[in-house]
Amino acid sequence: MTSSPQTRSNTISCVTLVLTLIGLFYAGTSAAQPAFVIDTLWIGVTAAPQSNEVIQLIPSGEQVEVEAIVEGQAKIATTSGTVGWVDASYLTEHKPLSTQLEKLELTIRNDSQNIAQALSRLQTLETTARPLRGNQSATNSWLVIAASGVSIAVVAFLTGVGWRNRRLRRKFGGLLP
């Protein structure tokens, strides 16, 4: 069965028109918003909704831009530029817990290194201070007097600030200027 060139041209024109109308519909449905792939190993991005043809695999935690959601399928754009469809139930607005956990573990490792460096520095200072401790009795009494004076000054200052704030709140009806 052969079709005439005119029939083929009309068919191509109709398909082009339909695809253009579908594209315009999806372009105006919503603005792209960020979303993250939920805690799953990998999900497949397909060329069309409900398709079995996977065009890219994306890992858990990857950020994608959601362009539209139709019947439980989300049209997404990946960070590599691939545009396709995934099951919308695999997306969430929050970073997955595994990604958050990795970030916290990195913070803990950095903090542990900082603590180890601080302990090392403290040991060095204690070693340096040992010879100076022989004349400690006179130094300790002056330190106690100085610390007491500083403590009294801090308490007096904080009391004054509290008194001032209470007075201003009464004057301005509970709001500080």
Side-chain angles (χ1 to χ4, degrees), residues 13-95:
S13 296
C14 288
V15 169
T16 303
L17 177 65
V18 168
L19 290 175
T20 302
L21 290 174
I22 290 172
L24 289 174
F25 172 75
Y26 284 124
T29 55
S30 67
Q33 62 185 21
F36 295 90
V37 176
I38 62 170
D39 287 322
T40 310
L41 294 177
W42 294 84
I43 63 170
V45 180
T46 59
Q50 307 297 335
S51 172
N52 291 331
E53 180 187 340
V54 175
I55 57 175
Q56 182 181 356
L57 291 174
I58 53 176
S60 174
E62 181 168 331
Q63 183 173 355
V64 297
E65 294 293 323
V66 177
E67 296 178 357
I69 297 179
V70 177
E71 296 178 7
Q73 294 288 309
K75 182 178 183 183
I76 62 161
T78 66
T79 55
S80 64
T82 303
V83 176
W85 294 84
V86 297
D87 187 328
S89 66
Y90 289 122
L91 302 176
T92 179
E93 293 177 2
H94 307 286
K95 287 185 179 182

Side-chain angles (χ1 to χ4, degrees), residues 9-169:
S9 176
N10 287 345
T11 304
I12 291 173
S13 296
C14 288
V15 169
T16 303
L17 177 65
V18 168
L19 290 175
T20 302
L21 290 174
I22 290 172
L24 289 174
F25 172 75
Y26 284 124
T29 55
S30 67
Q33 62 185 21
F36 295 90
V37 176
I38 62 170
D39 287 322
T40 310
L41 294 177
W42 294 84
I43 63 170
V45 180
T46 59
Q50 307 297 335
S51 172
N52 291 331
E53 180 187 340
V54 175
I55 57 175
Q56 182 181 356
L57 291 174
I58 53 176
S60 174
E62 181 168 331
Q63 183 173 355
V64 297
E65 294 293 323
V66 177
E67 296 178 357
I69 297 179
V70 177
E71 296 178 7
Q73 294 288 309
K75 182 178 183 183
I76 62 161
T78 66
T79 55
S80 64
T82 303
V83 176
W85 294 84
V86 297
D87 187 328
S89 66
Y90 289 122
L91 302 176
T92 179
E93 293 177 2
H94 307 286
K95 287 185 179 182
L97 295 177
S98 61
T99 304
Q100 293 177 31
L101 180 62
E102 288 172 8
K103 185 177 179 182
L104 289 174
E105 286 173 342
L106 178 63
T107 302
I108 289 171
R109 278 194 299 273
N110 290 338
D111 289 348
S112 295
Q113 289 173 353
N114 292 338
I115 289 170
Q117 290 172 353
L119 287 174
S120 173
R121 179 74 176 135
L122 179 62
Q123 287 174 347
T124 303
L125 290 173
E126 285 178 345
T127 304
T128 306
R130 275 193 194 119
L132 301 174
R133 289 187 182 161
N135 193 6
Q136 215 171 12
S137 61
T139 306
N140 280 347
S141 61
W142 283 107
L143 286 175
V144 168
I145 293 169
S148 299
V150 170
S151 298
I152 291 169
V154 168
V155 168
F157 175 77
L158 293 176
T159 303
V161 169
W163 175 81
R164 177 191 157 270
N165 287 345
R166 282 190 302 279
R167 190 165 177 234
L168 287 173
R169 278 192 207 101

